[in-house]
């Protein structure tokens, strides 16, 4: 079987290489991946039982569940967010075009560009809608609660969650760049 020009064999599949991303796209993907880190660190600190500024019933609620099942919850939530943020890098790295070999049944197979674009586009849309909706509605109401963190603790909490506002838009920009590069 002859390999057509411009296609290189990789593992089980012949892959038409996606053009190399521009430097700005790589930096944008890295920024998208890093937007989830501060909120994850804040949740881990909360899960470890460090006082983060809650008072009254909220302090009692978090004091009862953290550490314990609440810790497991915030660790898993933070881990999932970090994993999803890390996947942003797949749009600018080779492992986003061909699945890594150690994956059972799928390793070494080509990722169809339309799948990557669809999943990343839906993810960017979902993250943007959820984060922006939460910041304009529930976040504002919750932060006005007298038992929520205020002063320095409120500033730190807000500063840790604010980068999430950029996650969806940054992912959307990298997705459009990936789509542009992968078109035949």
């Amino acid at each position: 079987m002859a390999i057509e020009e411009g296609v290189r064999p990789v593992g089980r599949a012949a892959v038409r290489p996606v053009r190399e991303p521009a430097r700005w796209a790589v930096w944008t993907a890295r920024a998208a991946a890093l937007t989830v880190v501060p909120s994850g660190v804040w949740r881990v600190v909360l899960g470890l039982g460090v006082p983060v500024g809650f008072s009254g019933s909220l302090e009692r609620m978090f004091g009862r569940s953290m550490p314990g099942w609440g810790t497991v919850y915030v660790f898993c939530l933070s881990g999932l967010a970090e994993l999803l943020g890390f996947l942003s890098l797949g749009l600018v790295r080779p492992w986003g075009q061909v699945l890594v070999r150690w994956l059972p049944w799928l390793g070494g197979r080509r990722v169809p560009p339309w799948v990557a674009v669809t999943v990343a586009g839906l993810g960017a849309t979902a993250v943007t809608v959820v984060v922006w909706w939460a910041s304009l509605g529930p976040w504002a109401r919750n932060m006005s609660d007298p038992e929520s963190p205020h002063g320095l603790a409120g500033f730190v909490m807000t500063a840790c969650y604010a980068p999430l506002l950029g996650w969806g838009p940054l992912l959307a920009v990298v997705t459009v760049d990936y789509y542009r590069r992968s078109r035949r």
Side-chain angles (χ1 to χ4, degrees):
M1 177 173 144
I3 297 175
E4 64 182 277
E5 192 172 323
V7 176
R8 58 185 162 88
V10 176
R12 299 180 197 162
V15 177
R16 182 176 308 282
V18 174
R19 284 179 277 161
E20 287 295 314
R23 183 173 286 160
W24 66 265
V26 174
W27 282 100
T28 305
R30 289 177 183 165
L34 290 174
T35 58
V36 298
V37 173
S39 60
V41 169
W42 188 90
R43 281 190 302 272
V44 167
V45 167
L46 172 70
L48 292 174
V50 175
V52 292
F54 290 107
S55 61
S57 64
L58 291 177
E59 181 180 34
R60 285 188 297 280
M61 180 178 71
F62 288 128
R64 254 185 260 135
S65 65
M66 311 270 179
W69 283 108
T71 298
V72 173
Y73 169 73
V74 297
F75 279 22
C76 289
L77 179 62
S78 296
L80 177 63
E82 298 299 329
L83 174 66
L84 293 174
F86 179 73
L87 288 177
S88 304
L89 297 174
L91 297 170
V92 295
R93 302 293 302 151
W95 55 264
Q97 297 172 39
V98 178
L99 295 173
V100 290
R101 289 193 158 288
W102 52 262
L103 283 174
W105 302 288
L106 299 174
R109 293 183 191 249
R110 177 180 173 273
V111 176
W114 70 267
V115 171
V117 169
T118 302
V119 171
L122 290 173
T125 302
V127 166
T128 301
V129 168
V130 168
V131 170
W132 281 83
W133 170 81
S135 69
L136 296 174
W139 183 271
R141 282 193 303 279
N142 291 341
M143 291 309 285
S144 65
D145 186 326
E147 297 179 353
S148 290
H150 293 288
L152 180 60
F155 174 78
V156 169
M157 182 179 174
T158 302
C160 287
Y161 277 88
L164 286 177
L165 294 170
W167 185 13
L170 290 170
L171 179 56
V173 167
V174 177
T175 302
V176 169
D177 177 68
Y178 179 86
Y179 172 74
R180 183 188 58 78
R181 289 183 293 114
S182 66
R183 283 191 319 204
R184 283 198 160 82

